Amino acid sequence: MQLLDRIGLVLLWLAAPLVAFAAANKNDPYLLVLRGAGNIALLAASIAIVALLLRRGRWRTLAGKVLVVLWCLPPVLMSAAHLKFELRKHDVLGASAIEARQLGPHFMVGYSSLPEVARLAERSLIGGVYVTRHNIRGRTIETLRAEIAALQDIRRAAGLPPLIVAADQEGGIVGHLAPPLTKVPALATLTGLAPEEQQAKAEEFGRIHGRELAEVGVNLNLAPVLDLKPPVRRNRLDFHTLIGQRAIATDPAVVSTIASAYVRGLEETGVGATLKHFPGIGRVRTDTHHFSANLDTPVKELEATDWLPFREVLSHSRSALMVGHVTLTAVDPDRAASHSKRVVQGIIRDKWNYQGVVMTDDLVMGAIYQNDVCKAVVEAINAGVDLLLVAYDGVQFYRVFACALEGSRQGRLDAAMLQASAARLERGFLIAQARAASRTLSVARQN
């Protein structure tokens, strides 16, 4: 029995700092699984352990006192983290109408709570929403359609532009609304066909995705992937990017042909496409979901290979462009492309003369979030990025928006860049399609 008691004490000593760390960081995206019931369980466990230690008389020794104090920390740290989150949330929700209308259109957010995202939509604190698996888990697609329609009704009643509504339907392993939507094969499966067949099938895939997304109220698809397929698996620990399975081909011409046809099919249905992940993640070995990553390839080589599909599809479509979180070292070694003015303004806007919508990859990814996220937000806006995406953990919106709010109040945001970005969003394909989709949903609800 004494041996078991000693083992139990050792485990309590080892677990105490881990539980305290989890409590202090309860709002971190990596601890998303602990939200809600998990936090309550952590709190209850800490209180129960303190009670048990006191009952066993551990308070009588110095070591026992230290152990009791350690297990008292989690509730205190959790309360402090919750208070910090609520204060930040209060500050964001308390933003003035001018601040909201200036900054809000540049944010797209994933959500779990309809009432919460409805409040953000009504106050013009967001310009778009992102829907994914958890929005349909245990529910019907009709429920999601009604939710999106309700959000668009709220925007209409508030006299605001309709929301851009995005989803991730690439085909293959990434089809976050399939099922219940149709599970379409990856575009990479078309590479063995003749060019005419490639285009016909790719257009068909685009039309399938577009029709089904439009019926739900989604007006922007975060597809297709234009990164070149790496010749070998890039990293055995890459469990999330999986670009080898998502990329179309290693040949830029094949990627351009198939992607262009897919985008044509998608746009025929009134749904916008998003080309991703410029400047390309096929060559990097690090997973930006968790770590910073460098793309060290010379620009001339990228222009002759990896960037050809991006330029080709952009020149023949109204697609948005998603910029990833890799650092293009030959252009800007100090920051990821997603918030680099040298990349966004210097290459995409000035060199390519692309004046469409540029958006970031998810800012909750480790390459950004685990570094200086506030610096990244301010720099992205000042670089001319139009939409900042907070997808995986929508609750982080309050932190990300607070960064922009603070930057605005301190005069660190480029007003000219914000105005130019607002003009791009207003005249762009995305808002036009959002208006059309909103009207279609409204008519469907009335019938």
Side-chain angles (χ1 to χ4, degrees):
M1 195 66 180
Q2 286 185 341
L3 179 61
L4 290 176
D5 284 347
R6 288 180 180 178
I7 292 173
L9 276 175
V10 170
L11 291 175
L12 287 177
W13 277 103
L14 292 174
L18 293 176
V19 174
F21 178 82
N25 295 277
K26 66 183 282 294
N27 296 314
D28 192 278
Y30 278 107
L31 298 177
L32 182 61
V33 293
L34 291 180
R35 302 264 174 87
N39 282 336
I40 294 171
L42 203 68
L43 193 62
S46 299
I47 294 171
I49 288 169
V50 169
L52 180 64
L53 290 172
L54 292 176
R55 186 176 179 183
R56 293 284 184 91
R58 297 294 176 186
W59 184 255
R60 298 190 186 98
T61 65
L62 179 60
K65 286 182 173 68
V66 172
L67 186 59
V68 169
V69 169
L70 280 176
W71 279 99
C72 285
L73 282 177
V76 175
L77 293 173
M78 189 176 289
S79 299
H82 184 69
L83 178 62
K84 182 180 180 182
F85 171 79
E86 289 298 329
L87 288 173
R88 180 182 287 148
K89 181 177 177 180
H90 181 267
D91 188 39
V92 169
L93 293 176
S96 71
I98 293 174
E99 290 172 326
R101 293 203 178 219
Q102 181 188 47
L103 300 175
H106 304 282
F107 288 86
M108 176 179 287
V109 62
Y111 70 94
S112 298
S113 166
L114 179 61
E116 186 163 15
V117 79
R119 179 162 53 171
L120 300 179
E122 185 177 25
R123 298 187 183 192
S124 193
L125 290 168
I126 56 174
V129 293
Y130 167 80
V131 293
T132 187
R133 284 193 190 95
H134 67 256
N135 296 107
I136 56 170
R137 189 173 293 126
R139 312 165 75 202
T140 65
I141 201 70
E142 288 74 22
T143 305
L144 179 58
R145 182 188 297 116
E147 246 181 38
I148 293 172
L151 289 172
Q152 299 292 26
D153 287 345
I154 287 169
R155 295 287 283 195
R156 196 177 299 109
L160 297 170
L163 294 169
I164 299 168
V165 183
D168 247 327
Q169 292 291 93
E170 296 174 10
I173 62 170
V174 177
H176 294 167
L177 299 181
L181 300 189
T182 303
K183 191 167 179 60
V184 173
L187 292 174
T189 61
L190 306 180
T191 55
L193 303 176
E196 297 79 10
E197 292 180 275
Q198 287 177 354
Q199 293 183 57
K201 291 296 289 184
E203 276 194 48
E204 181 187 345
F205 288 179
R207 281 192 293 270
I208 291 170
H209 275 156
R211 280 197 302 267
E212 294 189 346
L213 290 173
E215 287 175 3
V216 180
V218 174
N219 45 58
L220 177 67
N221 193 13
L222 303 186
V225 169
L226 296 193
D227 309 280
L228 297 189
K229 186 185 287 289
V232 294
R233 186 174 179 183
R234 60 186 204 153
N235 184 346
R236 292 184 181 277
L237 298 178
D238 178 5
F239 301 115
H240 292 97
T241 302
L242 299 173
I243 202 63
Q245 298 178 54
R246 297 165 61 198
I248 296 172
T250 57
D251 184 344
V254 174
V255 175
S256 297
T257 297
I258 292 176
S260 294
Y262 175 83
V263 170
R264 281 198 302 274
L266 196 64
E267 289 187 348
E268 279 178 22
T269 69
V271 174
T274 308
L275 314 183
K276 60 187 187 184
H277 313 77
F278 184 80
I281 57 177
R283 293 177 184 261
V284 298
R285 295 184 59 82
T286 309
D287 183 355
T288 52
H289 285 85
H290 307 291
F291 308 104
S292 299
N294 290 338
L295 177 58
D296 298 322
T297 310
V299 168
K300 283 189 176 180
E301 185 177 344
L302 292 170
E303 287 176 335
T305 52
D306 300 52
W307 293 356
L308 287 176
F310 288 99
R311 299 200 70 174
E312 173 66 19
V313 182
L314 285 176
S315 68
H316 295 98
S317 72
R318 293 167 289 184
S319 301
L321 179 64
M322 178 183 284
V323 183
H325 301 316
V326 299
T327 300
L328 186 57
T329 55
V331 175
D332 191 343
D334 300 320
R335 56 187 55 79
S338 55
H339 56 103
S340 168
K341 191 168 186 176
R342 295 181 194 172
V343 174
V344 178
Q345 186 67 39
I347 295 176
I348 299 171
R349 302 291 189 205
D350 294 342
K351 192 171 184 180
W352 292 9
N353 196 32
Y354 173 69
Q355 301 306 319
V357 172
V358 172
M359 68 186 298
T360 69
D361 205 344
D362 189 358
L363 293 175
V364 180
M365 292 167 69
I368 297 295
Y369 192 87
Q370 301 303 330
N371 293 295
D372 191 342
V373 67
C374 274
K375 179 184 176 186
V377 167
V378 170
E379 288 186 346
I381 292 171
N382 289 342
V385 172
D386 304 302
L387 283 174
L388 283 73
L389 177 63
V390 183
Y392 169 70
D393 182 7
V395 168
Q396 304 306 327
F397 164 77
Y398 295 107
R399 181 182 180 190
V400 171
F401 192 89
C403 294
L405 202 56
E406 182 183 27
S408 176
R409 290 170 178 174
Q410 293 178 354
R412 291 187 290 117
L413 294 186
D414 188 328
M417 280 293 187
L418 274 170
Q419 289 173 1
S421 179
R424 280 191 295 270
L425 287 170
E426 179 59 31
R427 70 170 181 263
F429 179 63
L430 299 186
I431 292 296
Q433 294 314 113
R435 286 195 175 98
S438 178
R439 286 194 295 269
T440 300
L441 277 178
S442 179
V443 171
R445 292 186 78 191
Q446 292 169 6
N447 292 337

